[in-house]
Amino acid sequence: MRARVFVTLKPSVFDPQGTTVADALHTLGYAAVRNVRQGKYFELDIDAQTAEDARKLASEAADKLLANPVIESYRIEVGNA
Amino acid sequence: MTAIEQAIAQHGLTREEYQRIVERLGREPTLTELGIFSVMWSEHCSYKSSRVHLRTLPTTGKRVLQGPGENAGAVDIGDGLAAVFKIESHNHPSFIEPYQGAATGVGGIIRDIFTMGARPIALLNSLRFGPLDDPLVRRTFAGVVAGIAGYGNSIGIPTVGGEIAFDESYTGNPLVNVFCLGIARADEIVRGVASGAGNAVYYVGAKTGRDGIHGATMASAEFDERSAEKRPAVQVGDPFMEKLLLEACLEVMKTGALVGIQDMGAAGLTCSTCEMGSRGGAGVEIDVSLVPQRESGMTPYEIMLSESQERMLLVVRQGREAEVERIFDKWDLHAVRIGTVTTDGRLRVRDHGSLMAEIPNAALTDEAPVYHRPMARPRYLDEAQQLSLAALGAPAPPKEVFLRLLASPGVASKRWVYRQYDHMVRTNTLVVPGMGAGVVRIKGTTRALALSLDGNGRFAYLDPFAGAQLAVAEAARNVACAGGQPIGATNCLNFGNPERAEIMWQFARAVEGMGAACRALEIPITGGNVSLYNETDGRAVLPTPVIGVVGLLEQAEHAVRRAFRTEGDAIVLLGEARAELGGSEYVKVMHGLVRGVPPVLDLAREAALQRVLIEGASSGVIRSAHDCAEGGLAVTLAECCFDTGLGADVRVPALEAAVADYADVAALFGESASRVVVAVSAERTAELLALAAREGVPAEVIGRVGGERIHLAVSGRTVVDERLADAERVWSSGIDRYFERQQAIA
Amino acid sequence: MKFAVVVFPGSNCDHDAYYAVEHVLGQEAAFVWHKDTSLGGADVVVLPGGFAHGDYLRTGAIARFSPIMQAVQAFADAGGPVLGICNGFQVLLEAGLLPGAMLRNRSVKFQCEHVFVRVEQTHTPFTMACRQGQVLRIPIAHGEGNYYAEPAVVERLEQNRQVVFRYTTAAGEVTDAANPNGSVHNIAGLCNERRNVVGLMPHPERACELAVGSADGLLLFDSVVRALTQGVLATAR
């Protein structure tokens, strides 16, 4: 199974990289881009019988290592590798 | 075109070269062998165009422990220690992918140093870019700086200095030259040799992928509009892996279990196996199926030519294998035995046992082609050397010129750049970037080393011989200003396409000039790098010979900085000016021209000046010293004022110029060589003047340190009178202004 | 007095901390490898700067799982003095020994320069030799030193007087211009509630000799020697 983990900064946390990218897009003429938030994306290939098992493991990995709960939150998608 | 002709062309070989391969092997080469020959006979690895000229450089001296031909050069610095150093270019990769190109350049030069058994303690860089008002240049510039920072900072080696210049010719072909220096025990220098039949050949470090295949041949080709498609040939650096390799290799070397070691840099496994075998007079046999691989389905050809970064090849003494493996395991690195040293002087490559390539090492190294390429004095020279001041019209007022020059990115503060470099890690940095030559102390001794990289493409364009001499003189002078005795040098020669006679002439003249200057100043060149084919769409960069000079201070605490330190000190000008504006920053910035002849250099006078500087530093009579370079005396004085915020009141020596209107301009902004501004206390002024007189160096008290203004007068007339804070604002924002937030990435 | 300098793969200020302790301070220093499980009877633990595990994922995120961190945790729980410098501070945050997290500098760039920090609290083992409000000149060298914590957490830090260092001007004023990285409340360093664990982004070990630009950082090391000699802290083993 493949779990996709999307880690993003919590909405309340300032994101200097996202702000810089947004500024750059504006100078390139993309005025319609209102805001940019930068995040991280992980692909976990997991030996698991069911999607539920894979999700459980990915969620543990995210809690323990992939995301820092002080500043980040995450979302998981599970599918076939 | 036949299939073979096509294969030859794709490998960047000529038909004659292919014929030589067939004769040497006594048969047609296999594809793997063709690949191996193509990288080893590329300009980058073989120096086939430059070798005949490089042989003329002075490479020996009483302190030289290792000259050219090894991973790096080494000089004796006393206390049983050696300074191991080298410069490398990473120009082409840095244009294609600025961050990774520059980062892997840093990674490569660091490996060259620690493979010699030296712990790297300082990095410097010399960079060239197009004008910053071009958004593409800004992106390249920001990417290169970030890449250098990203690698050097992470691995924990301070970047203590460097230089940056801008010219249109570098727009599509930036220059990224990186220098590293390390310290080793003089009697424990490790070399890149394979010897002792039966000894194990080990591979350690990152896994091999398809990245950078034909990087060496890419570095030997011009850019054209299709270069962007060559992106896959760029390597990606992993400074963390390299940090582990560095620590593990230094630990392994201490055991004495190593015979030799070499980085898999350009031309990867190919270059390291045949060069180590060649140096040791031995053969090397490997099986590529044992090489750790990152991608599946790699062919022997790809494995041999991959330029994946952070990989080392080691030869380990028989019976000591377990000990070596244990140390690498400690660092979570897994050393893998991939082959054996043999007696027959051949490189033999197997894949799961079947023979894929078998080539005598000598055919790849010593017997690589050597060309005496045709040379011709460039046609542009006669016209370019003419600088008619009268034709330029009346000069702008000195105050305006002064501020324009301070704001010019070539002159302006480079803080935007060096603030991104960790220049303090290892706590040895006595003189930080932006204060003259970088100075690092050698812990455990009283000594320190002063390091400077210099080059002036405009001067070299107008007269390659003089330009190269001036570069040597300036680098040595910068080191001497800091109090260091120059003891060794490394060079990086950046030129265009050597198959053009005019470029080859520039190259040959520059090497002659560099050799003459190094001989006169008694500075041996212990190694370096040549980067050719620096062209975009047939237009070459300014010929840019860069030299890195290493200077030794017996007492670290005698290190001299450029900033004025004490109110009331006398300002003394050492050396003499002529009305020389050829190739100057003034002519470039105010008139957009690169014209005239470079300043005259008298090497005997230069040597005398440097003796005064070194003695003046060690006796403590000189409190600060700064050499006059781009922007002339006026800019030099301003830079002496900026760091401490102490002003200066100076009577600038008047000059006579062929065009009377330009007399003040020449006096203030002319770039005559062999001049240094020093500060000295009132009580010791006579002592300094006597020292200068003894060496026959002209010396004149031209003013006094103090106040909050920079006031310059010529023949009693005030020509510049600025609040220091205002001038400093202009100078310190010269580069920053291009990187205001909205421009940060665009 | 024995200092343990913990070495993670990728630590690069470990030698600097060692040198400062052994050769400038004149105390005993020993490297402790991250795979070790014992601190070797040290009186003080220093987590040095660098890029532990390449700072991949997040600064300090992987290092906190190193075997030695259990010993560091136990040492801290027993009241032993722990100093986290730069990357070491980041490891302490990830390990939960100190509250909060680090974001990229607001300049989005690595910054290496001398800054001024004001000593806000002298009641810690690493600041007791300082004067309250004393301004120290110490270098920073980081790309992610933009300290962040939830407003309620910051509030609690301030109330408990856990903010130990704040970025200020040379005159000791807290201004936005004096804040090099965007840290909330100009926070440069803090301590835990028990006050024995201190983390800061600036590098005191780089400021122990005038020859390299400043000796102000030595005060932190002097402090802990004094703290242990005077028995202010119950030494933890």
Side-chain angles (χ1 to χ4, degrees), chain B residues 609-646:
Chain B
L609 169 70
Q610 293 182 19
R611 286 195 294 273
V612 171
L613 291 167
I614 295 161
E615 193 177 332
S618 67
S619 69
V621 59
I622 292 178
R623 285 227 256 226
S624 70
H626 187 20
D627 112 291
C628 292
E630 287 86 351
L633 180 60
V635 164
T636 300
L637 286 164
E639 289 173 343
C640 293
C641 292
F642 288 152
D643 188 61
T644 36
L646 289 170

Side-chain angles (χ1 to χ4, degrees), chain C residues 23-167:
Chain C
H23 298 281
V24 186
L25 192 66
Q27 298 289 336
E28 190 187 346
F31 291 121
V32 177
W33 184 234
H34 78 119
K35 289 179 189 167
D36 291 347
T37 49
S38 155
L39 291 164
D43 304 296
V44 185
V45 172
V46 178
L47 303 188
F51 289 70
H53 296 277
D55 271 358
Y56 296 151
L57 188 60
R58 288 183 311 279
T59 55
I62 299 174
R64 78 169 166 108
F65 293 107
S66 285
I68 194 66
M69 286 307 290
Q70 285 187 18
V72 173
Q73 176 87 53
F75 181 84
D77 288 348
V82 177
L83 180 66
I85 301 168
C86 195
N87 196 225
F89 182 19
Q90 293 164 339
V91 174
L92 291 174
L93 294 173
E94 282 281 344
L97 280 157
L98 291 172
M102 286 299 171
L103 300 172
R104 287 292 300 271
N105 293 348
R106 61 182 166 182
S107 68
V108 206
K109 287 188 175 59
F110 191 95
Q111 283 168 240
C112 176
E113 58 200 330
H114 274 95
V115 297
F116 294 99
V117 293
R118 192 175 70 193
V119 178
E120 304 288 271
Q121 302 296 334
T122 54
H123 180 49
T124 83
F126 296 100
T127 50
M128 66 176 295
C130 304
R131 275 179 290 105
Q132 179 79 27
Q134 186 171 358
V135 176
L136 309 179
R137 183 169 176 271
I138 302 184
I140 56 167
H142 60 248
E144 297 191 26
N146 182 350
Y147 179 77
Y148 173 85
E150 302 268 343
V153 175
V154 176
E155 183 76 2
R156 205 170 59 238
L157 286 173
E158 296 284 7
Q159 267 175 8
N160 292 346
R161 307 201 302 163
Q162 285 173 253
V163 176
V164 181
F165 300 101
R166 230 185 281 272
Y167 299 111

Side-chain angles (χ1 to χ4, degrees), chain A residues 16 19-20 23-24 27, chain B residues 741-746:
Chain A
T19 308
T20 307
D23 288 347
T27 55
Chain B
R741 184 122 209 172
Q742 64 274 12
Q743 292 180 337
I745 285 185

Side-chain angles (χ1 to χ4, degrees), chain B residues 128 163 454-461 467 471 474 543-545 583 630 671:
Chain B
R128 297 291 183 278
E163 52 135 26
D454 288 286
N456 185 321
R458 287 198 296 263
F459 290 165
Y461 173 77
E474 186 179 349
T544 312
E630 287 86 351
E671 297 180 11

